[in-house]
């Protein structure tokens, strides 16, 4: 048996899940209090849940092929201001040196009220003795109280020699240090320095924690390298954590999305992770999680993290009242008021309930609670409303007693002059309005097609929020299997991920291939098996940036795909269901060895139906029945390795649109085996062909290939 183990370190509990590597079935889960105060820190709790899950389910150390954990340490360190003072060594000369002094003057960054990340600066004139200048700068900063260091020089992404010399000197003195060129390959010294400063500030604390945790795993006899969750949904080795701990910031929400991607096999959708207090909403498009540059202390960084939007609505959100009537819901939750949920209260304790108003914190509005004979107080919550409205199925983690909820809500409903169910519906509508606004904006920002966007709920409170929201917005939805532990599952199933960005004006084919190879090499360095790495390259012509994202597995999975392969009829049935009503001519038009392209004719009506337009919609489905790519308008060709160039050239020439801004090339996708090579965003046919040639090298000439393309504009 091969086992994957995921460990999620939360503020209150540390959870572990063991998953069968071949089937993805859960073997078992365990939970233990997070050990913040232990001598070994949170590592003690990690070791405890690891020991428990292995002992309880008879898992031997040699069975473990993958182990990873998510951590909130970096996030908590920044929130709590538990960071090192950072000394910034700025290098330069002349006018550029003067500008660099200004760009690297980060000052003190306010992390929270009264909590600051402190920085000090020292300048090294690179026109004189650089080595002596570096030694002097470090000594000055050390005497000023700096315990972690940043090396910063303009254009170090092109020539990192001087920055690397600072890092070498710090290493000789056993001082933690970060070079800006190692954090980002983008121009922009000010943002690059700020990102490196945040990284350096948490290095001492994270180094200690990483070493303790890694040692504990080794002592448990597990040979598989320990991986750590990143903020973009991937994982990295402990060694990378030692160098770039900033990548673990905001990794909590990333774990849930990783679970949705791998365990739920989500292609296009919004993922809602619902807790007791809030809902984290993130976007998955084409099976990829959407990322953006994170901000720390209100300052932009070059840290790519999940684009997660948080709404103060969760299963425990309390009902706001005014004059005894419901007027809103949230942001306060039951635990802030130190009250229990009504729906999970014993029925015999709800005796003669009376509506009362509570203010959890000074300055808060009034929130609804009931007081019963005997002094019992419980609050009215989203969980109660959702159970009353019938959105929480039997056996769900959030399922409670409808009868108890009805009794608890009766005084509020009476005040409002409506039934209990109507009162609950009004409260759910308040929540849907808030969550819906954020969901709609997220879909708009990433060009999501409402017809194919699925809402997926995770977290213990998923059913209290997502079903009603989806119904009110007309979307299909599902609650993730094992929703309460979806984050822990995400940690267990996450893939190695890294990204390289370079500032390049008018990139050549060689530039693009070079960035791609660098991303692949970094993913392999972080633990990905070479044969598993897939790379997506994007060219941002407006910002003059070439971006390569590499994703790979830590080992080749031995899963027998043939055991789960569906028949052609079964695949077509799933595709028809996915297309929905109003489509014609559903047929398989091309295939690779593992993926199948289906198209259908759709009709769009405009001007009140006076004008109609026929489009060819595409669905790319794998042998297990998972939709891997969907486009509302596409052209598809069946080719082989020997003929792919001809097919790509034909589609690019056919779908390129010329206007005043020049040529707009189509988005091109080349599919071989299980791989979907995304070539969208390229600026020339030559770039597409060069990158595709790199990706398709080594395959036999008769290997089947799918070529698909969509208009970049108006798609």
């Amino acid at each position: 048996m091969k086992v994957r183990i995921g460990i999620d370190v939360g503020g209150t509990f540390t959870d572990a899940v063991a998953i069968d590597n071949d089937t993805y079935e859960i073997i078992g889960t365990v939970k233990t209090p997070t050990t913040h105060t232990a001598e070994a820190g949170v590592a003690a709790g990690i070791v405890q849940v690891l020991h428990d899950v292995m002992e309880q389910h008879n898992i031997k150390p040699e069975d473990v092929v993958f182990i990873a954990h998510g951590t909130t340490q970096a996030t908590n360190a920044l929130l709590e201001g538990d960071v090192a003072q950072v000394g910034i060594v700025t290098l330069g000369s002349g006018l550029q040196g003067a500008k660099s002094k200004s760009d690297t003057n980060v000052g003190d960054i306010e992390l929270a009220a009264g909590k600051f990340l402190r920085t000090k600066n020292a300048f090294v004139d690179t026109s004189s003795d650089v080595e002596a200048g570096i030694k002097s700068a470090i000594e000055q900063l050390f005497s000023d109280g700096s315990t972690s260091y940043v090396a910063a020089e303009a254009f170090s992404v092109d020539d990192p020699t001087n920055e690397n010399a600072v890092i070498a000197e710090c290493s000789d003195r056993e001082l933690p240090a970060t070079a800006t060129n190692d954090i980002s390959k983008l121009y922009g010294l000010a943002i690059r320095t700020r990102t490196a400063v945040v990284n350096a500030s948490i290095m001492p604390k994270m180094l200690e924690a990483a070493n303790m945790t890694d040692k504990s795993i080794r002592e448990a006899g597990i040979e598989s390298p320990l991986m750590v969750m990143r903020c973009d949904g991937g994982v990295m080795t402990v060694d990378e954590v030692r160098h770039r701990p900033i990548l673990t910031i905001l990794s909590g929400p990333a774990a849930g999305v990783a679970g949705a991607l791998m365990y739920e096999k989500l292609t296009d959708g919004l993922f809602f992770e619902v807790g007791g207090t809030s809902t984290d909403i993130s976007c998955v498009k084409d099976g990829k999680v959407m990322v953006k540059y994170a901000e720390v202390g209100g300052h932009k960084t070059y840290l790519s993290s999940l684009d997660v939007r948080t709404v103060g609505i969760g299963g425990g959100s309390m009902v706001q009242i005014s004059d005894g009537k419901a007027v809103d819901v949230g942001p306060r939750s039951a635990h802030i008021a130190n009250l229990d949920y009504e729906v999970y209260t014993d029925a015999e304790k709800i005796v003669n309930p009376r509506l009362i108003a509570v203010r959890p914190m000074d300055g808060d509005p009034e929130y609804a609670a009931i007081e019963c004979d005997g002094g019992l107080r419980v609050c009215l919550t989203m969980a109660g409303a959702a159970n009353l409205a019938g959105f929480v199925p039997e056996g769900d983690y959030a399922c409670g007693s409808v009868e108890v909820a009805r009794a608890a809500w009766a005084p509020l409903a009476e005040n409002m002059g409506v039934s209990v169910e109507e009162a609950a519906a009004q409260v759910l509508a308040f929540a849907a309005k808030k969550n819906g606004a954020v969901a709609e904006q997220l879909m708009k920002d990433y060009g999501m097609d409402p017809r194919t966007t699925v809402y997926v709920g995770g977290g213990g409170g998923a059913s209290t929020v997502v079903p009603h929201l989806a119904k009110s917005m007309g979307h299909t939805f599902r609650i993730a299997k094992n929703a309460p532990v979806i984050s822990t599952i995400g940690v267990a199933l996450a893939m190695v991920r890294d990204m390289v960005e370079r500032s390049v004006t008018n990139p050549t084919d060689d530039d693009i291939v070079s960035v791609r190879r660098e991303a692949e090499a970094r993913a392999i360095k972080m633990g990905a098996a070479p044969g598993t790495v897939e790379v997506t390259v994007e060219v941002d012509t407006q910002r003059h940036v070439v971006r390569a994202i590499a994703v790979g597995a830590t080992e080749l999975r031995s899963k027998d795909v043939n055991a789960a392969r569906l028949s052609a009829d079964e695949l077509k049935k799933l595709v028809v269901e996915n297309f929905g009503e109003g489509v014609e001519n559903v047929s398989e038009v091309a295939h690779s060895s593992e993926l199948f392209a289906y198209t259908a004719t759709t009709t769009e009506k405009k001007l009140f139906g006076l004008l109609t337009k026929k489009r060819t919609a595409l669905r790319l489905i794998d042998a297990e029945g998972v939709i891997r790519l969907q486009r509302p308008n596409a052209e598809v060709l069946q080719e082989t390795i020997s003929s792919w160039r001809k097919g790509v050239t034909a589609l690019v020439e056919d779908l390129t649109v010329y206007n005043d801004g020049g040529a707009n090339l189509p988005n091109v996708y080349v599919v071989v085996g299980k791989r979907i090579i995304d070539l969208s965003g390229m600026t020339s046919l030559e770039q597409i062909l060069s990158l595709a040639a790199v990706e398709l090298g080594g395959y036999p000439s008769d290997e089947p290939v799918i070529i698909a393309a969509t208009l970049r504009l108006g798609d």
Side-chain angles (χ1 to χ4, degrees):
M1 180 174 62
K2 293 184 177 181
V3 178
R4 303 174 73 89
I5 294 178
I7 301 171
D8 188 29
V9 183
T12 305
F13 290 102
T14 296
D15 299 300
V17 61
I19 295 177
D20 188 302
N21 188 62
D22 296 332
T23 65
Y24 288 178
E25 291 298 314
I26 291 179
I27 298 170
T29 64
V30 296
K31 183 187 295 283
T32 194
T34 299
T35 52
H36 294 288
T37 58
E39 185 177 345
V42 298
I46 292 174
V47 172
Q48 185 62 54
V49 292
L50 176 62
H51 176 271
D52 291 347
V53 77
M54 292 177 67
E55 183 179 73
Q56 292 176 22
H57 301 283
N58 196 30
I59 300 169
K60 303 178 183 66
E62 58 267 27
D63 296 335
V64 181
V65 297
F66 178 91
I67 181 167
H69 77 90
T71 177
T72 59
Q73 280 189 288
T75 304
N76 292 343
L78 291 172
L79 290 174
E80 297 164 7
D82 187 13
V83 294
Q85 178 176 299
V86 178
I88 303 170
V89 180
T90 304
L91 305 112
S93 63
L95 292 175
Q96 184 59 60
K99 184 177 184 304
S100 296
K101 281 185 181 181
S102 174
D103 288 343
T104 60
N105 184 19
V106 174
D108 295 338
I109 301 174
E110 187 171 13
L111 302 172
K115 304 285 187 180
F116 292 89
L117 194 173
R118 310 285 184 184
T119 66
K120 299 287 185 180
N121 291 72
F123 182 73
V124 177
D125 189 343
T126 55
S127 65
S128 56
D129 189 339
V130 177
E131 184 178 350
I134 289 173
K135 292 180 183 290
S136 175
I138 292 173
E139 288 169 1
Q140 174 193 325
L141 293 168
F142 185 83
S143 65
D144 286 340
S146 298
T147 55
S148 194
Y149 299 85
V150 164
E153 183 180 30
F155 306 107
S156 62
V157 298
D158 299 323
D159 182 4
T161 303
N162 289 332
E163 283 193 0
N164 292 345
V166 175
I167 302 304
E169 181 65 27
C170 287
S171 180
D172 290 343
R173 300 175 183 230
E174 296 185 345
L175 299 171
T178 302
T180 71
N181 78 84
D182 195 42
I183 290 296
S184 174
K185 302 297 184 183
L186 295 179
Y187 294 142
L189 182 59
I191 300 178
R192 210 166 64 243
T193 301
R194 193 181 303 128
T195 310
V197 163
V198 175
N199 187 72
S201 75
I202 58 177
M203 282 182 82
K205 192 167 198 66
M206 293 297 291
L207 279 168
E208 181 182 3
N211 290 336
M212 283 185 181
T213 307
D214 192 39
K215 180 184 177 185
S216 299
I217 298 298
R218 299 286 77 75
E219 290 175 348
I222 294 174
E223 295 183 1
S224 183
L226 175 65
M227 311 298 287
V228 181
M229 199 76 197
R230 293 167 49 124
C231 56
D232 56 9
V235 291
M236 60 183 178
T237 61
V238 169
D239 189 55
E240 278 298 305
V241 174
R242 296 183 179 107
H243 292 93
R244 295 191 286 170
I246 190 174
L247 296 177
T248 67
I249 294 171
L250 304 174
S251 66
V257 179
L261 282 171
M262 297 292 293
Y263 199 62
E264 291 296 312
K265 299 180 180 178
L266 181 60
T267 302
D268 280 1
L270 298 188
F271 178 69
F272 300 78
E273 183 148 21
V274 186
T277 302
S278 61
T279 296
D280 292 329
I281 310 174
S282 46
C283 179
V284 174
K285 187 176 183 180
D286 297 334
K288 303 171 189 173
V289 61
M290 299 294 101
V291 299
K292 67 173 185 177
Y293 291 134
E295 293 188 1
V296 176
H299 299 282
K300 184 181 177 183
T301 71
Y302 279 151
L303 171 64
S304 292
S305 69
L306 242 68
D307 187 356
V308 178
R309 311 204 183 165
T310 301
V311 185
I313 300 290
S317 293
M318 301 170 64
V319 179
Q320 281 191 34
I321 57 174
S322 179
D323 296 327
K325 298 178 174 62
V327 294
D328 205 348
V329 62
R332 297 295 185 212
S333 60
H335 81 276
I336 300 294
N338 199 29
L339 294 173
D340 290 331
Y341 295 34
E342 80 286 64
V343 71
Y344 309 124
T345 304
D346 292 339
E348 60 268 20
K349 294 182 178 180
I350 308 294
V351 180
N352 192 27
R354 300 171 297 278
L355 183 68
I356 61 171
V358 297
R359 298 180 188 269
M361 302 190 71
D362 291 342
D364 280 351
E366 293 182 339
Y367 288 92
I370 59 166
E371 186 174 60
C372 302
D373 290 355
L376 173 72
R377 288 187 171 191
V378 294
C379 59
L380 306 189
T381 65
M382 275 289 294
N387 273 274
L388 280 168
F391 288 110
V392 185
E394 194 71 30
D396 189 273
Y397 186 85
C399 184
S401 171
V402 173
E403 292 306 312
V404 171
R406 184 174 285 111
W409 278 66
L412 175 64
E414 185 178 349
N415 270 14
M416 297 171 63
V418 298
S419 70
V420 167
E421 288 76 14
E422 288 170 332
Q426 288 188 31
V427 169
L428 290 172
F430 295 145
K433 184 177 180 180
K434 293 179 179 180
N435 280 318
V438 175
E440 283 185 340
Q441 187 61 53
L442 198 55
M443 292 174 63
K444 181 180 178 181
D445 290 347
Y446 292 107
M448 301 294 289
D449 187 343
R451 295 168 297 182
T452 57
T453 301
V454 179
Y455 286 6
V456 177
S463 291
T464 68
V465 168
V466 177
H468 176 267
L469 175 65
K471 182 181 178 181
S472 66
M473 298 182 68
H475 282 274
T476 58
F477 82 94
R478 65 176 184 264
I479 302 300
K481 187 180 177 182
N482 297 299
V485 290
I486 192 68
S487 289
T488 317
I489 292 170
V491 176
L493 297 180
M495 308 286 276
V496 176
R497 187 183 193 279
D498 206 351
M499 180 175 72
V500 172
E501 295 181 304
R502 285 197 177 276
S503 298
V504 186
T505 303
N506 299 320
T508 64
D509 299 348
D510 289 343
D511 291 329
I512 293 171
V513 172
S514 174
V515 173
R516 182 212 175 274
R517 286 174 175 162
E518 184 178 351
E520 182 179 31
R522 287 179 64 160
I524 292 170
K525 180 184 176 185
M526 289 198 306
T532 70
V533 179
E534 297 183 10
V535 185
T536 300
V537 179
E538 304 169 357
V539 179
D540 188 335
T541 55
Q542 292 186 331
R543 297 178 56 240
H544 305 294
V545 170
V546 179
R547 182 181 302 108
I549 303 169
V551 179
T554 54
E555 85 291 329
L556 288 169
R557 299 194 181 97
S558 61
K559 185 175 181 180
D560 182 8
V561 296
N562 292 316
R565 293 179 77 94
L566 301 179
S567 68
D569 289 342
E570 289 172 322
L571 289 175
K572 185 173 181 178
K573 182 181 178 183
L574 289 172
V575 170
V576 170
E577 290 175 354
N578 181 270
F579 276 126
E581 298 179 357
V583 298
E584 303 171 356
N585 307 318
V586 178
S587 59
E588 181 189 327
V589 294
H591 66 89
S592 70
S593 59
E594 296 292 340
L595 297 172
F596 307 87
Y598 284 81
T599 60
T601 304
T602 63
T603 303
E604 290 188 356
K605 296 182 179 181
K606 298 181 178 181
L607 294 177
F608 307 101
L610 296 176
L611 295 178
T612 60
K613 185 177 181 180
K614 298 285 187 180
R615 309 185 80 178
T616 301
L618 166 68
R619 298 293 185 269
L620 193 66
I621 190 170
D622 67 19
E624 296 177 320
V626 179
I627 303 291
R628 299 283 303 281
L629 184 72
Q630 46 193 353
R631 289 290 181 270
N633 191 28
E635 290 190 18
V636 184
L637 296 176
Q638 177 73 70
E639 301 291 348
T640 64
I641 288 294
S642 63
S643 66
W644 70 264
R645 289 178 181 271
K646 171 177 67 75
V648 168
T649 302
L651 287 186
V652 170
E653 291 178 349
D654 186 42
L655 296 178
T656 296
V657 176
Y658 298 91
N659 52 31
D660 293 341
N664 285 289
L665 275 67
N667 296 317
V668 177
Y669 307 89
V670 177
V671 183
V672 58
K674 287 185 174 182
R675 298 181 61 199
I676 303 173
I677 304 166
D678 187 346
L679 300 169
S680 56
M682 299 293 106
T683 58
S684 71
L685 174 61
E686 290 72 23
Q687 288 180 354
I688 294 173
L689 294 175
S690 294
L691 196 56
V694 172
E695 299 286 353
L696 297 174
Y699 287 96
S701 61
D702 61 349
E703 179 79 16
V705 176
I706 305 170
I707 311 293
T710 69
L711 288 173
R712 190 177 300 178
L713 297 180
D715 191 14

